[in-house]
Amino acid sequence: MAQQFSFGNSVLHFARSDGPGGFLWKYLASYLAVAVCLTALSYALFQPLFGIWFSIVFGYLLMLILGVMFWAVFEAAAQRRLVRDEGFSLRIGGDEFRLILVGLIWVGLGLAAQIFSIIFIAISTASLVYALDNPAGGAIAVLLCMALLTGLWIWIGVRLAPASAMTVRDGRVTFFDAWNVTRGRFWTLLGSYLVLAIIVVTMAALTWYFIGTGVAAAIMANIERFQTAIDAENPLMLLSALMQFDILAPIIGGWMFWVMVQGLITFMWAGPAALAAKTDPRGGH
């Protein structure tokens, strides 16, 4: 069913997207499975068995590459669903490598924005202090510049937000063409992201509340064991108490649940920009 670009559809596009059923649970289960594998690999790579230099150089480099690929693979899967209405699939191909290029452009823009911000704040502050002949004006200048620049970067970020979705939609890197897709849609997109931000913060807070409650309950149920280890001043006994199944189960279970929540957040956050690209008034190809 074709969707119109609107505030409500933008916020809920992740839930209203068309395509074969079962996408979300497959996406989240795969997200968790790959995250577990990467965590296990990271643990193995940084063991003393491989040597400190091997771990530092090869280990960090490999995990950086795999982390980027992890993001690209699941971002591409989400965009294919949200933009093309496809079923769930994970692969390493053209979509993924094009999204990595999009990510590199974002990194470059972020670095340029930081450099520009530092120079702009320094020049503006110095000019205002010199004009007012009052050093106290420097603090006001910094706050004004930061507010101005924050608004500017949010505006640019929202206007270019559909870059990934358009790249997957068109099968080529179309980063700056996203500017045309969001013309006249800035406030709708910004409002959608603000609502999603509130939802995301609420989800994260509730998730960590329940995880913390579960872990605390497990610890309190074994408080005598911990107290005995502490009274004996025996680190090995304390470690043994911590490694019990009824302590580890809520910790590991909570971590796995949090990873799946992160996957859901990633999918939700892609919705507004994907809908903007999908409903491009100029048409897509």
Side-chain angles (χ1 to χ4, degrees), residues 20 55 106 156 175 177 214 227 247:
S55 298
W106 276 117
I156 293 175
F175 189 92
D177 196 35
Q227 191 61 53
I247 298 294

Side-chain angles (χ1 to χ4, degrees), residues 127-173:
S127 300
L128 186 60
V129 169
Y130 178 78
L132 297 177
D133 193 23
N134 182 4
I140 298 176
V142 170
L143 291 176
L144 290 176
C145 289
M146 290 179 64
L148 177 64
L149 290 171
T150 298
L152 174 64
W153 302 140
I154 290 175
W155 179 61
I156 293 175
V158 171
R159 290 298 304 272
L160 294 175
S164 293
M166 292 180 64
T167 295
V168 172
R169 184 196 70 184
D170 298 342
R172 58 189 176 89
V173 178

